[in-house]
Amino acid sequence: MNYDVKDLALAKKGDDRIEWAAQSMPVLTQIKKRFLEEKPLNGIRLGLCLHVTTETASLCRTLKAGGAEVHLCASNPLSTQDDVAAALVKSDEISVHAIKAEDHDTYYKHIYSVLAIKPQITMDDGADLLSTLHSEKPELLKEVLGGTEETTTGVIRLKAMAHDGALKYPVIAVNDAMTKHLFDNRYGTGQSTIDGIIRATNRLLAGSTFVVAGYGWCGRGVAKRADGQGARVIVTEVDPLKALEAIMDGFQVMPLSQAASIGDFFVTVTGDINVIRQEHFEQMKSGAIVCNSGHFNVELDLGTLAQNSSHRRNIREYVEEFTLKSSGKLIYILAEGRLINLAAAEGHPSSVMDMSFANQALAAEYVVKNQGKLPLKVFPVPEDIDKEIARLKLASMGFSIDKLTPEQEKYLASWTSGT
Ligand code: ADE
């Protein structure tokens, strides 16, 4: 078996951590049981480009239980958990190509290793596998039945490809399932981003001013959790509707140019480039802590910051100090501007990834079942799958809900009774 991981001796630690995470993934566990019996992915070559975490390991084990041949590389150079990568190779004979802190060339070498197996389904978090396949290995397109995409940034990228006529196989936007973004993006990013900042800095959030750039589902979650820690939260936005929502959720809203001089902590969750720029760094208080929790490391303009700094050093793991040439002020950048929740912490907690990865597993099954019949575009997870995951999650949490009476159903389907 072909693999490239840091150290197979880490496998036992990885296995224990995967087992611990799986205890909070009851929906995926149920799917795995069914997959073991029904083998819906029998013989299918699956290429996965996902964050290599304990939760992803449970997904890999589920897909393998379904009969798939699973090949995994990282979707970010800093998010790999090396013990998990080792466990998947040693205990599951899954071919993993991922090493935490790999450089750009190694990152792509690992993507090519997964492409070398000629995947029939691609599963992406950020669309790097799919876009490399399209742009550099078009001869593989004929093998592919379809793909899935985990994250907002990837879905935006794929929709741009589809718009340009460049997308050559159907892709299910797992991110857009309700049981994905309402929970993973909001509560997952919310908790794990705060977790990453605290693990990296060990600073107190209570009483601080905490600036969140972007009020999508991730921004909403980060702002709410920072508020819960006792920070004064400022939201910056470009969308008037989201700005209004942030105001009515109780947060201050102002342009970043104004927030820059007030904030103690800054987090970007916009999905866009150069959100925090030199003009903002120059205005910040000395000691400001700046990080990103968006998918790509493009939201902070670190190139210009480096050019305008007289000195830089690592002051502790995941914390780099930049001294501004102009003023001598100190700016602290966490985790090289890469997603702080996966670089300095362990990503979203398992119980929320349970639903995200249940969507991934069922989307892969859907692609196989409907091969040749899928539309050549980016399309959502079918609603019945989304609702079924919600039902299973509720039941696993021990909650039950009401049912419409026949009279209520009839009323909802009618238009004749009014005032
Ligand atoms: N994305 C965010 N958190 C994650 C996790 N724990 N595992 C895989 N992908 C993630």
Side-chain angles (χ1 to χ4, degrees):
M1 186 188 40
N2 208 351
Y3 64 86
D4 188 19
V5 301
K6 184 170 182 200
D7 182 1
L8 283 185
L10 298 170
K12 167 77 174 81
K13 182 177 171 211
D15 272 326
D16 289 348
R17 291 181 57 248
I18 295 166
E19 186 187 329
W20 170 255
Q23 288 178 17
S24 301
M25 303 183 83
V27 178
L28 197 61
T29 304
Q30 252 173 283
I31 294 170
K32 184 177 168 194
K33 257 194 209 148
R34 177 170 69 76
F35 273 20
L36 256 179
E37 286 161 20
E38 298 177 7
K39 301 280 179 211
L41 307 176
N42 218 6
I44 297 287
R45 295 185 304 278
L46 270 179
L48 275 52
C49 181
L50 300 173
H51 300 295
V52 181
T53 66
T54 51
E55 292 74 26
T56 300
S58 282
L59 173 62
C60 290
R61 288 177 176 178
T62 303
L63 299 169
K64 193 167 178 202
E69 214 189 90
V70 181
H71 301 260
L72 170 68
C73 64
S75 59
N76 185 288
L78 258 192
S79 60
T80 297
Q81 298 171 6
D82 289 316
D83 54 344
V84 169
L88 285 174
V89 170
K90 201 162 173 193
S91 309
D92 301 277
E93 295 186 354
I94 285 173
S95 93
V96 183
H97 303 264
I99 298 175
K100 187 171 172 102
E102 60 198 16
D103 61 19
H104 183 265
D105 287 352
T106 312
Y107 178 78
Y108 274 96
K109 187 185 88 181
H110 287 157
I111 286 185
Y112 296 134
S113 300
V114 168
L115 290 180
I117 62 108
K118 301 186 178 166
Q120 292 167 287
I121 296 179
T122 58
M123 207 174 264
D124 262 296
D125 187 331
D128 280 346
L129 186 68
L130 176 146
S131 70
T132 309
L133 191 155
H134 276 71
S135 55
E136 296 180 42
K137 306 272 176 197
E139 69 279 9
L140 299 181
L141 285 168
K142 60 181 184 308
E143 309 278 345
V144 185
L145 308 173
T148 68
E149 172 52 53
E150 169 78 8
T151 200
T152 317
T153 295
V155 170
I156 291 171
R157 218 174 155 194
L158 292 165
K159 286 189 172 161
M161 275 180 87
H163 181 261
D164 285 351
L167 186 70
K168 301 295 180 203
Y169 59 79
V171 183
I172 300 187
V174 164
N175 178 72
D176 297 354
M178 295 288 197
T179 46
K180 200 282 183 180
H181 67 269
L182 288 182
F183 304 95
D184 166 316
N185 301 26
R186 182 167 34 173
Y187 304 111
T189 308
Q191 179 168 322
S192 61
T193 299
I194 301 298
D195 184 15
I197 293 170
I198 292 174
R199 288 200 208 190
T201 65
N202 195 28
R203 287 280 171 87
L204 185 71
L205 299 189
S208 70
T209 300
F210 193 105
V211 181
V212 181
Y215 205 65
W217 290 111
C218 296
R220 289 172 177 115
V222 174
K224 184 148 199 242
R225 297 302 165 219
D227 182 52
Q229 288 281 328
R232 279 183 303 280
V233 177
I234 298 173
V235 170
T236 71
E237 246 306 334
V238 293
D239 179 332
L241 287 171
K242 289 181 180 156
L244 261 181
E245 190 184 348
I247 291 167
M248 296 204 187
D249 284 346
F251 302 120
Q252 286 188 68
V253 172
M254 61 183 75
L256 188 55
S257 54
Q258 225 173 303
S261 58
I262 309 172
D264 299 300
F265 295 90
F266 294 82
V267 183
T268 52
V269 264
T270 70
D272 214 337
I273 60 166
N274 294 338
V275 175
I276 301 191
R277 303 178 292 274
Q278 196 58 27
E279 71 217 60
H280 305 120
F281 289 125
E282 295 289 348
Q283 290 174 60
M284 287 179 187
K285 295 192 270 193
S286 187
I289 292 171
V290 185
C291 66
N292 166 52
S293 212
H295 183 79
F296 286 120
N297 59 333
V298 295
E299 305 206 17
L300 314 176
D301 183 0
L302 297 182
T304 311
L305 176 64
Q307 282 165 18
N308 287 279
S309 297
S310 55
H311 185 65
R312 57 193 282 190
R313 64 173 175 142
N314 289 319
I315 188 160
R316 56 184 264 150
E317 200 181 8
Y318 303 118
V319 185
E320 189 172 13
E321 179 187 84
F322 289 76
T323 306
L324 295 187
K325 277 182 193 162
S326 56
S327 58
K329 285 197 266 192
L330 304 176
I331 304 291
Y332 292 104
I333 301 291
L334 306 186
E336 305 164 20
R338 296 198 187 275
L339 17 74
I340 186 68
N341 61 333
L342 279 140
E346 293 167 68
H348 303 354
S350 327
S351 64
V352 88
M353 293 311 294
D354 188 26
M355 286 189 281
S356 310
F357 285 166
N359 274 289
Q360 287 285 9
L362 298 182
E365 179 181 36
Y366 186 83
V367 168
V368 174
K369 265 193 189 152
N370 293 282
Q371 55 185 285
K373 291 187 279 184
L374 299 171
L376 178 52
K377 60 178 186 179
V378 183
F379 63 99
V381 172
E383 196 183 335
D384 55 330
I385 293 184
D386 206 355
K387 284 257 167 77
E388 180 59 14
I389 291 171
R391 264 190 289 273
L392 291 172
K393 188 68 176 174
L394 265 179
S396 77
M397 293 167 84
F399 292 102
S400 47
I401 58 173
D402 290 323
K403 234 181 161 175
L404 292 174
T405 64
E407 181 194 33
Q408 288 171 325
E409 279 195 30
K410 191 168 164 210
Y411 177 80
L412 289 178
S414 71
W415 56 274
T416 47
S417 46
T419 311

